[in-house]
Amino acid sequence: MKKHWIAVLLLILVYGCATYEAKYAEPFSDDNVTADKQVEHTFYLIGDAGKSPEGDLNPTLKKFKKQLEQANKNSTAIFLGDNIYPIGFIGKDDDPEGHEHSKHYLDAQLATLQSFKGKTIFIPGNHDWYSKGLEGLEREE
């Protein structure tokens, strides 16, 4: 009988701690937003961009490149992983044709940065690890 009371007490305690809406120190108000602020730094994020047709950029990379061409030096382009589909940067000795495809996929992304004045960061994704782990990542680097 005692165990049932403890279970009921724990259930009430857990249920009482639950919240179903966001809690803010200060509620959002349009009055807090000022239009006279300037953007200090802009981040451009793209992920899963690791496959483009031979000799060209995929449509997403073309749009990304147009955005980066308009960016100033106070910006950063971040490639969020899966930079080379489907299995990372393949070694030249393992598969020469696959190696050339891998190189092209990475070169296509690098081509988006030709006129970009900001900083660039490449983060490896799970597909980038598929070609012998660190060995494949070092090739990609």
Side-chain angles (χ1 to χ4, degrees):
M1 183 73 174
K2 231 181 189 182
K3 291 181 183 179
H4 294 293
W5 283 104
I6 292 173
V8 170
L9 182 61
L10 282 174
L11 183 63
I12 292 170
L13 181 64
V14 169
Y15 182 76
C17 294
T19 181
Y20 298 100
E21 56 187 60
K23 304 292 183 191
Y24 300 102
E26 296 178 25
F28 178 77
S29 169
D30 288 339
D31 299 335
N32 298 338
V33 179
T34 58
D36 61 342
K37 291 185 179 180
Q38 291 185 347
V39 175
E40 289 184 32
H41 198 92
T42 304
F43 292 91
Y44 296 93
L45 309 172
I46 188 167
D48 290 345
K51 192 164 189 175
S52 286
E54 283 298 322
D56 199 8
L57 304 178
N58 67 46
T60 304
L61 284 178
K62 288 178 182 178
K63 289 180 183 179
F64 193 62
K65 182 177 182 174
K66 283 183 182 180
Q67 288 294 313
L68 294 181
E69 287 172 350
Q70 299 169 15
N72 63 29
K73 68 177 184 167
N74 293 327
S75 55
T76 302
I78 304 175
F79 290 81
L80 297 170
D82 294 347
N83 303 310
I84 302 173
Y85 273 142
I87 56 172
F89 207 114
I90 299 169
K92 198 173 202 172
D93 295 336
D94 297 332
D95 178 3
E97 186 178 344
H99 177 80
E100 289 304 313
H101 288 302
S102 298
K103 187 175 179 319
H104 165 70
Y105 297 153
L106 191 56
D107 286 344
Q109 291 169 85
L110 293 172
T112 65
L113 303 168
Q114 287 173 342
S115 302
F116 183 55
K117 300 171 192 87
K119 297 176 184 169
T120 304
I121 298 171
F122 276 83
I123 299 171
N126 61 315
H127 286 270
D128 301 305
W129 284 91
Y130 289 164
S131 186
K132 298 186 180 177
L134 282 174
E135 192 177 315
L137 285 180
E138 287 173 352
R139 280 192 293 271
E140 186 174 325
E141 182 183 24

